[in-house]
Amino acid sequence: MASSTVTSAQPERPPRPNLAFRRLRGKRSPAEFAAAVRRAAREIGERVSCDARYVGRVEAGEIRCPNYAYERVFLHMFPGRTLTDLGFAPRSSVRGRQARSTSESRGAGEPYETYDTRDTHNTHDLYETHDNNEESDVLRRAFMTSGATVAAASLGPLGLAFDAAAAGRPARRAGTGEAGALEEAVRRIRLLDDRHGADGLYRRAAAPLRTAYALLDAGASRQATADRLYTGAGELAISVGWLAHDSGRFDDARSHYAEALATARMNGDAGLEAHAFCNMAFLARDAGRPREAVRAAQAAQRAARPLGSARLMSLLSLREAGGWAGLADRVGCEQALVRAQTFFERGPSDADPEWMSFYGEAELEGLEAQCWSTLGDWPRAARHARRAGDLQDPHFTRNLALYSAELADDLAREGRPDEAAGAGMRCLDLLGEVQSSRIHTMLAGTARVLLPHRRASGVSTFLDRHGALPRPA
């Protein structure tokens, strides 16, 4: 019987309060300290959904060791200190400690996770509680493996949940472990794309997406878990769609974005709907369908308006501006750009979605540069592209390459071939780390513009080096 198995499990050791962490909080309330954690995360390019509840759990000793994202944030907040100085246990002493018995404690009539009855709405808790089953522990280890190829391949363990189904036996309903693994997969893809671009990731990401939707079909043990699975599957569809988009597979991207939009509407998820329409607008612009880009961006804004994120509204206004630029409607473009700037100046907030970690002043400048470039205002486009590169966090290697490629093209078309060649060389320097068909296409266009200027300073060197590049598959 399931109940007898549960009774035989070893009792958990009572948590020991983390007094060191409590001292570091000082006179700040838990909510004030959580806000400071989120600010510190933004300073180093991390995204954590820290709140007063999380701070309380740390201080109560429920979280014996933070996940890797929180670890980086805490060490940034308190330089010179170690996790032990902050009152946490060594990672090796808590990783997967209870994995052995939990999966055995569930019977056919007990699909719930016996050792974790808390509401785990904070997705970052998955790697701190250490009380999920053995399968989830495998997922945790796989998703935290570094390296672009290995990380993409590590999405595969999601399929472990369906081994039973493949053998003709009923599949176990998904729990918080699967939901957490799915959310971590999305984060990992975004991180690797920011650093390396899409070309090396896309082919490996499609199969895990199918598995994510199989998780939905299997059902979940709780409604809160089901909601997380729907959101996670939709966000994964968008991430895979973006990988297709950035690697030039527009038809595939359109299909993935449509799948995410359907998932959002089935679950009544306005945030996911806004994200799907945002990417659909971007894709429509790049695919030469500017009117569709405008309409998709406007639909995204309608979905996003109740969410309360000014930064999200700013990005969506920029998507609309890109569509107006494609229609050669300068007035419409300028009006959307003004709205984007106005929303941006309201600053970040707790309502900003996690996926927007890439959106800062550099991206604002870069997207505006693309608008002016589409309108043929090369000097203005070049100014914004140069500023985007100057402002960009080095963590986002792909974006640095993108802004350099944009600047090179704008300068070439403005009639400044020597400066264009210099910007193009900076982009080429980054292509050892970045694999993006979109950037390769931009550089190829710049090279064609520069061909008649081969005798200008630096142009011949750029053209020769560009010509030697291996072509993306």
Side-chain angles (χ1 to χ4, degrees), residues 378-397:
W378 314 118
R380 201 165 184 175
R383 286 199 302 273
H384 286 283
R386 193 186 302 278
R387 182 163 168 75
D390 291 342
L391 292 169
Q392 183 59 64
D393 185 332
H395 165 81
F396 295 93
T397 313

Side-chain angles (χ1 to χ4, degrees), residues 216 225-235 263 266-267 269 272:
L216 294 183
T225 303
D227 290 342
R228 287 175 61 192
L229 286 171
Y230 268 94
T231 299
E235 290 292 348
T263 303
M266 281 190 292
N267 205 41
D269 190 332
L272 180 59

Side-chain angles (χ1 to χ4, degrees), residues 115-381:
Y115 289 99
D116 188 4
T117 59
R118 295 183 301 271
D119 178 326
T120 55
H121 74 280
N122 186 339
T123 61
H124 292 71
D125 292 351
L126 266 294
Y127 301 97
E128 293 140 2
T129 57
H130 308 292
D131 50 9
N132 292 323
N133 62 16
E134 183 175 3
E135 175 185 314
S136 299
D137 197 54
V138 171
L139 292 168
R140 281 197 296 268
R141 291 196 299 271
F143 284 124
M144 296 313 296
T145 305
S146 62
T149 302
V150 175
S154 75
L155 303 177
L158 276 168
L160 292 173
F162 298 94
D163 287 346
R169 299 188 299 275
R172 182 174 64 81
R173 300 171 76 189
T176 56
E178 290 81 3
L182 181 54
E183 291 158 350
E184 188 62 23
V186 175
R187 293 190 193 102
R188 195 69 182 158
I189 286 176
R190 290 173 183 158
L191 175 65
L192 291 163
D193 175 56
D194 288 338
R195 292 179 178 172
H196 305 293
D199 288 5
L201 295 172
Y202 173 66
R203 295 183 185 279
R204 296 176 180 270
L209 178 59
R210 290 192 294 271
T211 304
Y213 277 94
L215 283 172
L216 294 183
D217 192 53
S221 53
R222 313 172 196 168
Q223 184 59 47
T225 303
D227 290 342
R228 287 175 61 192
L229 286 171
Y230 268 94
T231 299
E235 290 292 348
L236 183 57
I238 291 172
S239 292
V240 175
W242 166 247
L243 297 179
H245 180 173
D246 195 43
S247 55
R249 301 171 173 90
F250 287 179
D251 289 342
D252 289 352
R254 188 179 179 87
S255 175
H256 291 310
Y257 292 159
E259 190 170 32
L261 180 61
T263 303
R265 289 185 162 174
M266 281 190 292
N267 205 41
D269 190 332
L272 180 59
E273 181 174 343
H275 191 187
F277 271 129
C278 175
N279 279 45
M280 292 171 84
F282 195 10
L283 174 64
R285 188 208 70 171
D286 285 357
R289 299 190 299 270
R291 195 169 301 280
E292 180 184 324
V294 170
R295 292 179 65 84
Q298 291 172 342
Q301 290 170 70
R302 288 193 296 273
R305 199 164 287 117
L307 302 178
S309 169
R311 285 289 168 92
L312 176 55
M313 292 298 292
S314 174
L315 176 60
L316 298 177
S317 297
L318 283 167
R319 295 287 187 243
E320 182 182 344
W324 289 124
L327 290 168
D329 187 334
R330 190 181 184 98
V331 173
C333 180
E334 289 179 337
Q335 290 174 344
L337 288 174
V338 169
R339 287 202 309 277
Q341 187 67 47
T342 301
F343 279 122
F344 187 87
E345 288 172 354
R346 295 182 187 176
S349 74
D350 293 342
D352 297 341
E354 181 179 349
W355 59 266
M356 284 189 63
S357 60
F358 71 93
Y359 185 60
E361 192 174 0
E363 182 73 2
L364 174 70
E365 294 286 342
L367 291 175
E368 183 166 353
Q370 292 174 18
C371 289
W372 294 121
S373 180
T374 302
L375 289 168
D377 191 338
W378 314 118
R380 201 165 184 175

